[in-house]
Amino acid sequence: NWLRRCAQRKTGDMAALEGLPDGVRAGGPLADAVVEVADNPHWKELVQALAAQSVPVAKIAADTLRLAEAGEVTILDVGGGSGVYSAIWLELNPVARSTQLDWAPTNAIARRLLAERGVADRVSYIDGDFHTTEFGVSAYDIAVYSHIAHQEGPEDNVAIFTKLRSALKPGGTLVISDYVVDDDRGGPAFPLIFAAEMLLKSRQGSTWQRADYRDWLIKAGFEEISFKATRSPATLVFAR
């Protein structure tokens, strides 16, 4: 019931919010949003914790893309964190190359982890904020946007998807991994619960419905959109 009322806050049903915590009624954190600053020390622990969860999802995405046999593909990982997608994908494809765009402190973590995996010579880094940093034009075969959409609002997600569409070569694929909610908001359970985390720690974030992703990706210029469930709490979205 509490989660349903949190969702009602997102839809503007203010009468349903009586008795809820101040952060819920206010529509966001009462202190600074911890997911929106580059130098917050929690990133050091979080990006490495997310890496373990992302390993099986990255492998499923690679199988779906037939990445091992794709040849000399170029990959852009926006907000790549630990670099887990680059690590796994470059191990599967020895001639692929990857670029990670993230804050400098986070890229420093990825540099160390990818060196340990033996793929550092095929990874380049862009230190910056993906909201304001350009991604290039027709430069990449594959782009990754993993566990970022839930901390962004609708307008920012559309803006970033639009930049990613431009950065992809003709026929390129955007891979999104996130906690995706069914259109009737009846499940899955973990994404619904995680929406409360974003409500209290981000200004605009939430766990978004499949219909939201379809709408945003179409607005960004993508035409083919598909969803793939995984054994983890995350769902994969493929857009071309």
Side-chain angles (χ1 to χ4, degrees):
N1 185 51
W2 189 88
L3 290 173
R4 187 173 298 278
R5 292 167 74 194
C6 285
Q8 288 173 310
R9 195 280 303 169
K10 289 289 184 184
T11 63
D13 185 356
M14 303 308 293
L17 304 183
E18 291 300 323
L20 288 177
D22 288 343
V24 176
R25 289 188 286 106
L30 299 181
D32 291 338
V34 300
V35 300
E36 297 166 8
V37 291
D39 58 354
N40 192 301
H42 92 126
W43 288 122
K44 183 177 180 181
E45 289 74 26
L46 181 61
V47 297
Q48 295 179 82
L50 281 175
Q53 178 183 296
S54 295
V55 167
V57 181
K59 289 180 177 178
I60 292 169
D63 289 343
T64 303
L65 295 169
R66 302 179 68 177
L67 193 63
E69 56 195 81
E72 298 181 11
V73 293
T74 52
I75 301 160
L76 173 65
D77 192 348
V78 173
S82 66
V84 62
Y85 276 80
S86 293
I88 291 182
W89 289 5
L90 298 187
E91 286 176 345
L92 289 170
N93 183 329
V95 293
R97 302 191 66 86
S98 180
T99 299
Q100 173 161 311
L101 193 165
D102 212 323
W103 288 317
T106 305
N107 277 343
I109 297 171
R111 281 187 172 91
R112 175 175 58 80
L113 295 176
L114 291 173
E116 292 174 357
R117 299 291 288 262
V119 297
D121 61 324
R122 290 186 285 134
V123 185
S124 59
Y125 298 90
I126 301 171
D127 294 339
D129 186 322
F130 54 73
H131 297 97
T132 55
T133 303
E134 294 302 317
F135 300 167
V137 177
S138 299
Y140 303 95
D141 298 291
I142 303 169
V144 186
Y145 191 67
S146 177
H147 290 290
I148 304 296
H150 64 241
Q151 71 186 39
E152 304 295 321
E155 290 185 2
D156 282 339
N157 277 321
V158 171
I160 294 164
F161 290 163
T162 302
K163 289 167 62 175
L164 286 166
R165 180 68 185 86
S166 180
L168 286 167
K169 297 175 184 177
T173 303
L174 170 61
V175 180
I176 302 166
S177 175
D178 219 307
Y179 307 131
V180 180
V181 176
D182 294 340
D183 287 344
D184 63 359
R185 298 200 71 84
F190 185 89
L192 289 172
I193 294 169
F194 193 79
E197 176 86 356
M198 286 297 94
L199 181 64
L200 298 177
K201 290 188 176 179
S202 72
R203 294 295 177 191
Q204 300 183 70
S206 185
T207 47
W208 306 107
Q209 298 166 212
R210 290 187 176 213
D212 294 321
Y213 284 96
R214 289 191 194 95
D215 180 53
W216 299 338
L217 289 164
I218 289 170
K219 286 180 178 177
F222 292 93
E223 298 178 353
E224 299 178 27
I225 301 155
S226 61
F227 298 83
K228 190 177 186 69
T230 73
R231 292 183 180 180
S232 84
T235 295
L236 284 164
V237 187
F238 298 91
R240 297 176 176 86

